[in-house]
Amino acid sequence: MESQDQFNYLYDRYLANQATPDEADQLFGYIAEDKNNDRLKEMLGATWDQLQVAPGSYKITPVTIPDEAKAPVRKLIPWKWIAVAASILLIVGLGSYFIFFNRPAKQIEIAKTQAERFKNDVNPGGYKARLTLADGRTIVLDSVVAGELAKQGGTVVLNKDGQLVYDASALRQAQDGKEVLYNTLSTARGETYATVLADGSKVWLNSASSIKYPVAFVGGERKIEITGEAYFEVAKDASKKFIVVGNGITTEVLGTHFNVNTYTDENSINVTLLEGSVKVVKGSSSSLLVPGQQAQITDDIKVVSNVDREQVMAWKNGIFQFDNADVASVMRQISRWYNVDIIYEKPVTKKVSLLNVPRTVTMTNILKIMEMTGNVKFEIEGNNVTVIP
Amino acid sequence: MIKTNSQDYELLQQLIEGDAQAFKDIYELYQDKIFAFAYKLTKQKDVADDMVQEIFIKLWEKRDQVKVELNFGAYLKKMTQNHIFNYLKKTSLDRKLQQTLKQKLEALQNSNADELMEKELQKVYSEAIETLSPQKKLIYNLSRTGDLSYEEIATQLRISRNTVRNQMVDAIRTIREYVTRNTDIACLALAIAMHGK
């Protein structure tokens, strides 16, 4: 229809600041007519849809919410909530009247004390693990069950003091050709264990981790597979390279002390060298580390020097050590050691410190220390910890 | 022994707090577009500014009618459309208002400055986007250029819709600050340049 086209045309000219005074008059003539109302609304809608604005293009006066609109809860909440508030009122007591109805929202949050937010405590983890033998049998280990556990192909497996010891002294030298038997030691959240391998190498296993290793080291190399995190003190054996494989990377050692963190929920895979020398391999990249260095592996290998050893080794030393670390990385360790799930209301960017805090304490103690910074608050309910920024 | 109904208490709290936060977010996300739209239709910055105030205050007052889950974009579009519609209708019946408008229109037609400003703004705007972190930049571009909804972006990137919204709010705030800071300088340079002619 011609008049529709004309209306459109004038509208577009107007928008583009090209309309002459006469055209503007015409446009408003159309707008004044009620029969064009729907059409106009459509055109406005299209203009809105097509509009892309660079934020900051214009200076806009900030909107201040009028005070009466910020009025006490009562004005805005339908009947259902008033009834609820009233029942809470009855239970909590008269003093609360002022908290619910007279104070702005912020103060209600403060009113919830730590005692109210921490509904229960959580016990720390302990020495416990699962051992899967070469024949598929599974044994639950804890430091309580001592003594000889099994004999596998001439190797005696002992369990004492939270350590699994592989005694291969009775094994004869002529072992080549014999089948290599593997054992897997695994921990769930809240568990930790250590083992001494047949060559005398010591391995500490963190929570939610596992190591798969040969019962006896025959052949040209000592190959270990891990998930999660483990710390190694490798016995020297120049004839057999010690290789740790985990999450797509390989760490080769001759004799040394190092920590491998392959947890999939951390930002990178980290291999930290304390003593000796290791070579870290990912795909076609490799890096040689010297003591004090840490290889951080994501898509490639990045080597960092002078890393905080205390922090890396803290778990093995039975403590929490975080020096101005972000809350999320602390909570990941808390989650593994206390076997709890962490919930975030909003992203948290604050930092906290936990210096030399024993892992043997119950969880509320850890959280209380973190709350003292004023940067974060927590709620505990059963196995769930909610982080409130 | 009556136990405190902590669940209801929490919901109550969320209603109060959630709304204030949601309001701030919506404000961050939409103030520029609402202003630009109003200005484009009324040709007057002060009128546009007033409208932004009116719309957001009305939104706050009616907030108990709006759930946090709703598509705020659509709701705000409707509110803004109605406001502008009413303004245009009023103007069409008022000679004096029409006079003012025509004058503004003429002033806009005769000035070159706006066009140059437009170019300068585009440049600064692009720079601002480059300062964003990779994730924010991606989310912002998917939303603005790709025209994806927050839900769609969340699915694409395997993050929550809330994260998308929070990142958008941050991104827009960052861009706005950058643009404001740098266009003041651009304005000055422009003024000097024009003066020199």
Side-chain angles (χ1 to χ4, degrees), chain A residues 64-134:
Chain A
T64 41
I65 301 166
D67 276 332
E68 67 270 15
K70 266 194 284 196
V73 160
R74 177 186 269 154
K75 193 173 179 190
L76 305 159
I77 295 175
W79 270 113
K80 183 167 90 173
W81 293 115
I82 293 178
V84 165
S87 63
I88 295 172
L89 187 65
L90 281 171
I91 293 158
V92 179
L94 198 61
S96 311
Y97 178 86
F98 296 99
I99 294 172
F100 283 106
F101 289 97
N102 290 357
R103 302 245 187 100
K106 271 280 140 88
Q107 306 233 341
I108 295 181
E109 193 170 41
I110 295 170
K112 218 177 182 188
T113 64
Q114 202 176 64
E116 288 164 0
R117 286 181 285 109
F118 287 9
K119 295 195 172 64
N120 52 271
D121 203 348
V122 179
N123 286 324
Y127 290 110
K128 200 168 169 196
R130 219 144 300 99
L131 177 65
T132 308
L133 301 176

Side-chain angles (χ1 to χ4, degrees), chain A residues 52-57, chain B residues 28-29 32 125-126 128-130 132-148 150 153 157 164 167-176 179:
Chain A
Q52 295 244 15
V53 189
S57 312
Chain B
E28 282 290 346
L29 294 169
D32 304 286
Y125 180 41
S126 303
I129 297 176
E130 287 307 304
L132 296 172
S133 72
Q135 192 190 50
K136 282 203 183 105
K137 189 158 95 171
L138 178 61
I139 291 174
Y140 185 80
N141 284 330
L142 285 176
S143 173
R144 288 296 156 116
T145 326
D147 210 28
L148 268 70
Y150 291 171
I153 297 174
L157 303 180
V164 176
Q167 296 274 314
M168 272 300 280
V169 170
D170 277 351
I172 289 177
R173 192 179 297 141
T174 305
I175 294 173
R176 188 182 306 121
V179 171

Side-chain angles (χ1 to χ4, degrees), chain A residues 14 17 19 34 37 52 61, chain B residues 41 43 49 53 89 101 109:
Chain A
Y14 175 74
N17 295 339
D34 284 340
N37 284 354
Q52 295 244 15
T61 309
Chain B
L41 267 299
K43 310 298 175 193
D49 200 87
Q53 307 292 308
K89 216 43 188 184
L101 219 120
Q109 278 170 8

Side-chain angles (χ1 to χ4, degrees), chain A residues 2 12 18 23 38 52 66-67 110 115 119 128 141 152 196 211 224 247 255 262 264 267 271 320 322 326 335 386:
Chain A
E2 215 196 77
D12 289 339
Q18 283 167 355
E23 283 172 335
D38 288 340
Q52 295 244 15
D67 276 332
I110 295 170
K119 295 195 172 64
K128 200 168 169 196
L141 305 170
Q152 294 175 92
V196 181
I211 29 170
I224 313 290
N247 206 351
T262 67
T264 51
N267 292 332
V271 179
F320 287 112
F322 290 100
D326 63 278
S335 168
T386 307

Side-chain angles (χ1 to χ4, degrees), chain B residues 9 24 35 57 60 79 81 88 125 142 146 148 185 194:
Chain B
Y9 171 79
K24 269 185 13 215
F35 182 93
I57 289 170
W60 175 253
M79 276 188 82
Q81 255 177 291
L88 291 175
Y125 180 41
L142 285 176
L148 268 70
I185 301 167
M194 285 184 73

Side-chain angles (χ1 to χ4, degrees), chain A residues 82-209:
Chain A
I82 293 178
V84 165
S87 63
I88 295 172
L89 187 65
L90 281 171
I91 293 158
V92 179
L94 198 61
S96 311
Y97 178 86
F98 296 99
I99 294 172
F100 283 106
F101 289 97
N102 290 357
R103 302 245 187 100
K106 271 280 140 88
Q107 306 233 341
I108 295 181
E109 193 170 41
I110 295 170
K112 218 177 182 188
T113 64
Q114 202 176 64
E116 288 164 0
R117 286 181 285 109
F118 287 9
K119 295 195 172 64
N120 52 271
D121 203 348
V122 179
N123 286 324
Y127 290 110
K128 200 168 169 196
R130 219 144 300 99
L131 177 65
T132 308
L133 301 176
D135 59 10
R137 268 187 298 153
T138 318
I139 307 172
V140 172
L141 305 170
D142 57 27
S143 36
V144 177
V145 179
E148 190 179 308
L149 290 180
K151 268 199 178 80
Q152 294 175 92
T155 307
V156 178
V157 187
L158 302 161
N159 182 36
K160 57 177 184 179
D161 303 328
Q163 268 196 9
L164 202 59
V165 183
Y166 285 77
D167 186 358
S169 54
L171 199 65
R172 291 225 220 99
Q173 286 296 4
Q175 276 297 307
D176 302 310
K178 263 214 162 145
E179 188 191 281
V180 181
L181 303 170
Y182 284 94
N183 280 178
T184 304
L185 185 66
S186 46
T187 55
R189 289 198 316 197
E191 298 176 354
T192 185
Y193 225 78
T195 181
V196 181
L197 302 180
D199 64 341
S201 295
K202 298 182 185 155
V203 188
W204 282 257
L205 201 58
N206 203 343
S207 309
S209 307

